[in-house]
Each structure stands twice: as structure tokens, then as C-alpha cells.
Amino acid sequence: MMISIALEEICSHGEDRVTLPTLFSILTSPHSSASSDLINIKQALCTTLLTIPTLQFHAAHHIQSVFTSSDPSIQSFEAAEAMNLKIVAKQHLRDNFLGLYNVQSFNASISHHQRRTLHLLALTSKCLSGELSDAKYTEEEIDEVKEHWASEMLSVIQTYRR
């Protein structure tokens, strides 16, 4: 479950990338487990993320700015954190986050503006879903709000396209 949430969070950052400490702070509560447990969880998260081929690893202020998942210098959470290692999902994984599946196989061309709009919609939907689930609404109420929100977003997009 934590990896799915981590991937969603990485994709939600788009091309901007996310650091491991930022990602970890999003995934854990401030009151979670003992310090030794957190270190083990951080390392397990780092190790698992390194096995996902659709992720890329970057460090801005390092001689080598792009790292492969097998690079020995990023294998530990502490080393990756010290390098301010940032993670970005490859474009096709980010497309999946936006609900765009098999874009390349259909030779569909999506402009940067359209992709950015979809990204903002996905982020808004993610925030809205989180707020609704935190507030303990019923499933029917959540569905009603989502339908209303989607209708409003479509009208905004149609207005913008004119």
C-alpha cells in the first residue's frame, strides 16, 4: 500500500520531482513508530523504489546528476537523502496517473497545455478525494460531490477552449 501511495505522490509532482524526505513525510504521520522502525521503513521504501524501472533518480548538486537504480551511491536512504536525491516518474507512468493509457500506441498527440490541464485536474481530484474521505462522508455524498466537481471542470475547460 505504501508503494502505491508513493508512486501516486511521485506522479503528482510531475516533472518537478520529489525528494525522499518529502515523500517519506507525506507517507508517515508525525506520531508513527519508534526511531529504529522509521529507519528500517525509510530504507525499505528506498530499496523498493530503486526496483521500479519507470522511476528516474536525479541529484542537482552532484557531479553525476542522473543515477541509475543500481548505482551504489544511492542504495541507502541516508546517502540518497544527503545527496538531496529527487525522484521523477517517466512520462508514461505520469500519463497513467492522469488517466491517459496507451497514448503512444494510438499515436495520440497531447499538447503540453492539455497535459498540464489534466495534471492540475488530477491533483485537484486527489485533494478533493482526500478531504472527502477525511471528513467521513458517505459514499453517495462523495460520488455526488465528485460528479458535480467533474461537471464544473468540464465547463471550465470548454470555456477555456473557446
Side-chain angles (χ1 to χ4, degrees):
M1 175 82 166
M2 184 180 267
I3 297 304
S4 295
I5 296 168
L7 286 174
E8 182 177 335
E9 193 60 39
I10 292 166
C11 288
S12 75
H13 280 78
E15 296 174 354
D16 296 333
R17 304 176 183 135
V18 62
T19 63
L20 280 171
T22 300
L23 183 60
F24 195 74
S25 69
I26 292 166
L27 297 173
T28 59
S29 74
H31 309 292
S32 46
S33 305
S35 177
S36 61
D37 289 343
L38 286 178
I39 292 169
N40 292 336
I41 294 169
K42 287 178 180 182
Q43 185 57 51
L45 174 66
C46 184
T47 301
T48 304
L49 291 175
L50 288 169
T51 66
I52 300 171
T54 53
L55 297 179
Q56 297 172 326
F57 306 91
H58 302 261
H61 304 293
H62 195 270
I63 296 169
Q64 177 184 350
S65 63
V66 179
F67 295 85
T68 64
S69 60
S70 61
D71 192 303
S73 60
I74 63 169
Q75 296 304 306
S76 77
F77 183 87
E78 291 82 7
E81 185 176 28
M83 296 168 76
N84 197 30
L85 192 71
K86 293 184 177 186
I87 306 168
V88 65
K90 290 182 180 178
Q91 185 64 56
H92 64 277
L93 184 58
R94 293 195 314 263
D95 285 348
N96 288 345
F97 170 73
L98 299 177
L100 300 172
Y101 307 101
N102 301 320
V103 172
Q104 294 165 339
S105 64
F106 292 114
N107 291 326
S109 93
I110 297 173
S111 73
H112 177 73
H113 176 71
Q114 289 169 321
R115 197 177 295 277
R116 180 72 179 141
T117 301
L118 286 171
H119 179 79
L120 293 173
L121 288 171
L123 289 177
T124 304
S125 176
K126 178 181 172 214
C127 290
L128 181 62
S129 293
E131 288 175 15
L132 290 174
S133 64
D134 289 345
K136 308 295 185 233
Y137 289 100
T138 66
E139 287 295 320
E140 293 81 26
E141 290 170 320
I142 292 172
D143 289 342
E144 184 178 326
V145 170
K146 284 182 178 181
E147 283 178 30
H148 175 73
W149 172 83
S151 172
E152 289 295 317
M153 289 284 92
L154 281 174
S155 98
V156 167
I157 290 169
Q158 289 170 345
T159 302
Y160 183 74
R161 293 174 91 185
R162 293 181 193 154

